[in-house]
Every structure is written in C-alpha cells, then in structure tokens.
Amino acid sequence: MKLNLEEVFVTEGVPAFTFVKPPNYNRILLDVRSPGKPVILEGQSGTGKTTCIKQILKDLADQFPTEYLAAREPVDVSRIEEIARDRPVGRFVIDDFHRLSSKLQESLADLAKISAESADPSTCTKLIVVGINNVGSNLIQLVPDIAKRVGIHTIAPGGEKEIRDLVERGAEKMNIVIADIHLIFEEVRGDYWLTQQFCQSVCLKAGVMATCDDKIDIGFDVPVVRSDVVEQLRAAHYPAVKEFCRGKRFRPSNQPYFKVLRAIAQNGFSNVDLTELANSDPEVRGSINNIKDWRLSILLESKPLAARSFYYNKETKNFSIDDPALFYFVRHLDWEALRRDCGFREVVENHEYDVALSFAGENRELAKHIANQLQDLDVPVFYDEAFEANFLGKAWTKKFKEIFADESRYVVVLLDKHHAEKIWPTFEREHFAPRVADEHIIPIYLDDTKFVGIPTDIIGVRFRFDQEDPEWRDKADREIVEKLIDKLT
C-alpha cells in the first residue's frame, strides 16, 4: 500500500502506523473502561499523554458518549464549568487540567469523588484528567478521600527502544532504511511528537514524499535537520516568544522575561519551579525574583498570544511550556538574534531593579501605591514588603546595602523630616548618597527638610502627601508615577 509521508510520520492527530504504546497502556485502558472511575494521566510535555488517551478511546470503540475538552480553549473552559456544576452523565476528557483555576480544579475533584462513590457508575460523570507532572497528587490533596478509588498513571518519555520502534515502523511503511536511529533518540530525548516531526524532516530532506517503490537508505545530519525543524516551527511560535520576551510595556532595558525564558530553555525542562531555578542559577535569580510574585501573571493576563503558549501558577511558582513543539523551538533559538529583534540594548547594566524605593514608615502607603502602579506597568521595583519572603534568613543590612548601592538602576526616595530622623532611611541614604553625582537618585520632596549629600537643586518632584485627601492616589499617579515612567522609557 502506497502511503504519503504525512500519513506515516504524523504531527497532527493520532498516528495510524507509528503509535507506540507506553508500557502501562493496558492498565490505563482498564481504568478508562471502568465506569465512574476517575482517571488521571500525567507526565511532562511531549510524552504522548493526549495521543495515548485518544488511542485508548479509539481502541475501546464503545457507545459511551465521550467529550474531549482542553483547558487552554476558553470555550472548552466554559463547558468544563458546566460539567462541574451540572454533573452530566458521560465520559469527559479534560486536557491541560493544570491550566484551570484552583477553584474549578477543586470542584472537579469533588465531582470525581462523587462519581467514584456512586452506587451506579454508569449513570455518573466519568472524568479523565490529563496534565503535567504531579497533577494527580495535587488533585488528591484537594480531596484525599479519592486516593484509593482513582487511577493515576504517569506517561514517561520514550526510551531508546520505543523511539527506535517508532522510527522503524515508519521506515517500513515508507520502504526506507533510516540510519543512526540512536542519533534521533539523543536529539528528541524520548519526545514522541518530536520524533514524528524529525523523521518527517529527514524524509523531506531526502526527497521522500511517499512510500518508495524500491527500498532506499537515508542518512541525515542532525544540525541540518534541527535547523529545518526550527524554521518550520517559526511561523507558529516566534510571535508568542517575542511577545513574552518584550514584556507588558516594552523598554530597551527591561529584559527579565527574555532572561528567564532563555534560562528555562537552557535548563532543558519544559516544566520548572521558578523558585528552585532562581536558587540554582545566580545569573537569572534577580530576573526571576522580579517577576515571579506579580509581574509574570500580569504579563500573561494582558498578552493572550503569550498566555496560550506559556502557563504560570503564581501560587506554586510553576512555569510550563505545554507544547513540545514550542519547547523544542525555544531550546534551539538564536537568542542573540531574538534579543536584537526585540530591540533590547546590546549592553545593559546588571541591575535587578529599575527602581528601589526608600522611605520612612510614615509614608508607607504612598510608597506602596507607587510600587503597585509601577509593577502594573511592568517596572522591576524593590519595595521591602514585597520581597520579605525572598530574603528570609538573610540580614536586611547586607541586602539593603546591595540594593541601594548597586542593584537598582534608580533610587526613588521620599524625602521629609521622617526620612531624616529614622534609622533605616538614614542607613539607606548612606549607601545611595554617592550615586547622586551619577544622577541615579530621584527625590520626591514631601517637605522642605534639608539632607547632607543631597543638594537642594537636584530636580525632583514636589508632592503634598495627605492621606485625608480622597484624591491623593490620582494625584500621585499624575505627579509621580507618570513622570517616573517617562524617565524610565
């Protein structure tokens, strides 16, 4: 039978000829076939979770109605909410479960418990949950009672035997011999989808578009094929990568998203804990700490294209790239070319913060408002309360010295009599005062108090801070925040 290349090495849908069953395939099928029993399928991106569950449903070929829903699709999320609320009879596959809100996850966990305990499983809601690593244990933590009544299965990346099996099956259907399959395994790291894409590109490079009449041997050069795969993926993924790297409000010096995504790509894992990555990689620690608590979530909320490609859980600090094609693309990006295309400066001073706020406790409300507004506008800000968790166990004196003397691009200081009298503001002043000559200090004059080392002719902002004034926040936005943004950009 003569077959087209795309029918054999399949990059969309379930492969008809090159599907490789994971070792626990029959056990998963058994649980999927059991009425009412909740099933959880977890594993890292690219292990074939979705393909596996679709193949199982195809093999079952039963009459039980099945609905497939993906949490990355807004329309599907609305339907998932209906299921959690109305508990209809049927079998429902919920892919990308980890992308759902915590509240919706909990509702589905409660529904799974009810189904697992049902006296008549054939009349209940059968849930099949698909997600990244640990989605099963996380679900059980929501409803511990279902631990013994739910089927949790992990799909591991393919080993060399599985990848070789896939390639050889496809080669047989194409009537070709692909040499050096071990090189393919080393390149794809057990990723089934990527194996399909890589083999498709190998065939294209050799001019093989359909089953050959006579068997031929095909060789390949990994860097050449890799370049071809990356180029094929560019149109689909480059816009989202660039949008993510440029941040919510682009500035040539604002590179934390670029640095973090590059570190994740170089780290080699599509699902990472940003706190752990920050602790293990000092070069990107500052960038991660600047965005993980606040700004990263704001960016994804404001950029739909990036949000479809990247997932972030602010509570767990878990960042993931669910699409194996996208992860392969970022792993092999020309990051220097991307940096230039984004418009970032070639040489950027190594500052963790664009702004560090120095203030006395009496003016904390004003400082907090300025910090929040700047963060909403995607500015890296040091405001002490926001970073207490990051510096647990460390001495404030050492950290404040580093931040106000070296790690901030500008120090915005709220000057008044309280700043002159208090110990901590005075300590901060001692360390940022030498930077006055470099024009890195931006004073906000709240009264006429004079300060040693800060000349009165430094241009700043004069602001009357009166918490009894119901419009003080609007005035601060106009008179302080907007001017700071102009300065930064």
Side-chain angles (χ1 to χ4, degrees):
M1 180 173 63
K2 197 172 185 70
L3 297 166
N4 290 326
L5 173 60
E6 65 274 18
E7 295 177 281
V8 176
F9 291 116
V10 177
T11 58
E12 296 290 338
V14 179
F17 307 106
T18 51
F19 173 72
V20 177
K21 292 181 179 179
N24 51 349
Y25 182 85
N26 289 338
R27 174 61 64 183
I28 300 169
L29 186 148
L30 190 67
D31 282 347
V32 171
R33 192 170 64 185
S34 301
K37 184 174 185 178
V39 178
I40 297 172
L41 207 58
E42 61 183 18
Q44 69 185 55
S45 298
T47 54
K49 302 182 296 293
T50 301
T51 300
C52 178
I53 204 69
K54 287 182 175 180
Q55 183 64 44
I56 285 175
L57 294 173
K58 182 180 178 181
D59 288 348
L60 287 176
D62 55 22
Q63 300 302 310
F64 201 63
T66 302
E67 197 170 340
Y68 179 88
L69 302 159
R72 65 174 61 241
E73 301 294 338
V75 174
D76 285 1
V77 172
S78 297
R79 175 59 177 151
I80 294 169
E81 291 171 345
E82 289 178 6
I83 292 167
R85 181 181 65 248
D86 301 335
R87 302 175 181 178
V89 175
R91 185 163 55 201
F92 301 92
V93 179
I94 300 176
D95 208 343
D96 295 321
F97 178 83
H98 55 282
R99 283 180 169 263
L100 298 174
S101 67
S102 299
K103 183 178 179 181
L104 185 50
Q105 288 182 8
E106 190 169 353
S107 297
L108 291 170
D110 289 334
L111 176 54
K113 178 176 183 292
I114 292 170
S115 298
E117 296 173 341
S118 174
D120 185 2
S122 64
T123 62
C124 64
T125 307
K126 165 91 172 180
L127 292 181
I128 301 170
V129 169
V130 183
I132 58 176
N133 286 328
N134 300 321
V135 70
S137 58
N138 292 339
L139 185 65
I140 286 176
Q141 288 174 12
L142 294 174
V143 185
D145 297 2
I146 68 172
K148 295 181 179 179
R149 295 186 291 276
V150 62
I152 301 179
H153 307 276
T154 300
I155 303 293
E160 186 165 1
K161 176 182 178 299
E162 287 76 24
I163 298 303
R164 179 174 292 276
D165 187 15
L166 189 162
V167 176
E168 289 179 343
R169 286 188 192 186
E172 181 183 357
K173 293 295 181 183
M174 298 299 294
N175 198 27
I176 60 176
V177 175
I178 298 179
D180 299 322
I181 295 178
H182 68 282
L183 295 179
I184 296 178
F185 171 70
E186 292 171 2
E187 176 71 9
V188 303
R189 304 185 185 184
D191 187 312
Y192 292 111
W193 177 89
L194 188 53
T195 304
Q196 301 275 0
Q197 179 67 65
F198 198 87
C199 288
Q200 195 179 95
S201 290
V202 166
C203 291
L204 285 170
K205 287 289 183 184
V208 175
M209 299 291 292
T211 303
C212 296
D213 295 328
D214 300 310
K215 182 165 286 191
I216 62 172
D217 292 345
I218 292 181
F220 62 90
D221 183 72
V222 170
V224 172
V225 178
R226 177 192 299 151
S227 178
D228 180 66
V229 172
V230 170
E231 190 57 37
Q232 293 303 311
L233 297 172
R234 177 173 294 275
H237 300 298
Y238 190 75
V241 169
K242 183 177 178 180
E243 180 180 81
F244 179 88
C245 290
R246 284 170 63 89
K248 181 182 177 183
R249 184 184 177 106
F250 173 73
R251 294 189 305 282
S253 62
N254 188 33
Q255 297 189 30
Y257 306 102
F258 173 88
K259 292 178 181 178
V260 170
L261 188 59
R262 182 178 59 185
I264 291 170
Q266 294 170 346
N267 181 58
F269 295 97
S270 60
N271 179 30
V272 298
D273 182 316
L274 289 188
T275 301
E276 291 181 3
L277 182 59
N279 291 336
S280 64
D281 189 346
E283 291 187 8
V284 79
R285 182 177 300 152
S287 294
I288 290 175
N289 287 339
N290 265 314
I291 67 175
K292 68 183 176 70
D293 292 323
W294 187 267
R295 296 169 61 204
L296 183 50
S297 295
I298 293 174
L299 168 65
L300 294 178
E301 288 170 3
S302 65
K303 301 288 185 179
L305 186 61
R308 286 181 61 84
S309 300
F310 306 102
Y311 164 76
Y312 182 59
N313 186 314
K314 187 170 68 174
E315 283 71 35
T316 63
K317 304 300 183 286
N318 178 269
F319 182 94
S320 69
I321 303 174
D322 299 334
D323 187 340
L326 171 59
F327 187 59
Y328 185 79
F329 180 72
V330 299
R331 274 175 50 205
H332 298 294
L333 258 180
D334 182 337
W335 288 93
E336 181 59 22
L338 174 62
R339 184 194 61 74
R340 292 194 301 269
D341 190 28
C342 285
F344 294 127
R345 292 173 183 155
E346 278 193 44
V347 179
V348 179
E349 295 173 312
N350 188 26
H351 291 139
E352 286 198 24
Y353 313 98
D354 271 1
V355 169
L357 286 168
S358 177
F359 58 94
E362 287 78 2
N363 300 313
R364 178 168 292 280
E365 282 301 307
L366 175 59
K368 185 175 183 179
H369 178 76
I370 294 171
N372 288 341
Q373 296 301 94
L374 290 176
Q375 286 171 337
D376 283 346
L377 294 169
D378 210 20
V379 174
V381 180
F382 176 77
Y383 167 68
D384 57 2
E385 279 187 352
F387 287 87
E388 287 178 348
N390 294 83
F391 301 137
L392 288 175
K394 300 179 182 179
W396 271 126
T397 51
K398 180 181 178 182
K399 289 308 304 179
F400 273 34
K401 179 180 178 181
E402 293 170 351
I403 290 165
F404 289 101
D406 302 308
E407 295 180 354
S408 54
R409 183 179 170 199
Y410 294 105
V411 175
V412 174
V413 52
L414 308 185
L415 294 174
D416 68 350
K417 64 178 182 179
H418 303 297
H419 203 285
E421 296 168 354
K422 296 297 182 71
I423 295 176
W424 275 110
T426 300
F427 174 81
E428 293 164 11
R429 267 198 326 278
E430 290 173 356
H431 292 291
F432 68 65
R435 303 181 64 190
V436 169
D438 298 325
E439 300 180 355
H440 291 164
I441 307 304
I442 301 176
I444 310 297
Y445 299 107
L446 303 181
D447 64 19
D448 295 325
T449 303
K450 303 292 189 296
F451 291 86
V452 176
I454 303 180
T456 55
D457 63 344
I458 292 181
I459 298 174
V461 176
R462 295 200 173 273
F463 183 77
R464 173 176 166 74
F465 178 41
D466 179 5
Q467 292 193 65
E468 300 300 319
D469 181 356
E471 297 183 358
W472 74 262
R473 291 177 177 82
D474 292 335
K475 293 177 180 177
D477 291 343
R478 291 193 304 271
E479 299 175 28
I480 299 176
V481 176
E482 290 181 8
K483 292 179 180 179
L484 290 177
I485 291 297
D486 288 342
K487 174 69 174 176
L488 293 170
T489 54

